[in-house]
Amino acid sequence: MKPWNIVGRLRRRSRILSQIVRALKLFVPMCQDVVKGRYRPPPWSAFGWMLVALAYLVSPLDLIPDWLLLIGVFDDMVIVGWLLTRVDRSLDGYRAWRGKPIEGKGDDEEQL
């Protein structure tokens, strides 16, 4: 494996992790603005992706059972992380409404 490939992969992973953190930080304020009527129309896709992520996280049905310790937990992290990147994409309109820049729009599409 070439060293520059490792560096590139780490950069892509850090972008994905930052998207996950950004989605989690922005989802709650977005919900508050939607409930108070300040932000319309509600981003239903963000709610849907978050609901799917939470359902997968608490569901006893998994692609790989959790009793296979590390592999089962890792599969949950990967799938929920991917779903949270979808939440982040769905919040682009809200992010623009709040005046926050939309970073890396479309950059991770080919990386996943």
Side-chain angles (χ1 to χ4, degrees):
M1 196 172 222
K2 298 178 182 177
W4 53 87
N5 282 344
I6 294 171
V7 171
R9 285 183 182 183
L10 289 175
R11 279 193 196 136
R12 286 191 297 270
R13 298 299 180 250
S14 69
R15 263 189 247 137
I16 291 170
L17 289 175
S18 71
Q19 276 187 311
I20 292 169
V21 169
R22 213 172 40 188
L24 291 173
K25 282 183 178 179
L26 202 58
F27 190 77
V28 172
M30 183 271 306
C31 289
Q32 292 170 343
D33 286 338
V34 167
V35 167
K36 291 180 181 178
R38 291 189 291 234
Y39 182 69
R40 295 282 185 230
W44 295 114
S45 59
F47 288 112
W49 286 118
M50 185 62 81
L51 183 65
V52 170
L54 291 173
Y56 187 82
L57 195 61
V58 299
S59 172
L61 302 174
D62 281 343
L63 289 178
I64 300 173
D66 288 342
W67 55 266
L68 292 173
L69 294 181
L70 293 176
I71 298 171
V73 172
F74 181 73
D75 117 284
D76 288 354
M77 289 181 352
V78 168
I79 291 174
V80 170
W82 179 79
L83 290 167
L84 289 176
T85 61
R86 302 294 147 232
V87 170
D88 184 59
R89 283 189 184 169
S90 300
L91 293 176
D92 283 347
Y94 178 71
R95 193 174 294 108
W97 178 77
R98 286 194 62 176
K100 296 186 180 214
I102 300 172
E103 302 166 7
K105 179 128 173 77
D107 286 347
D108 67 335
E109 185 71 29
E110 65 276 352
Q111 296 166 4
L112 293 175

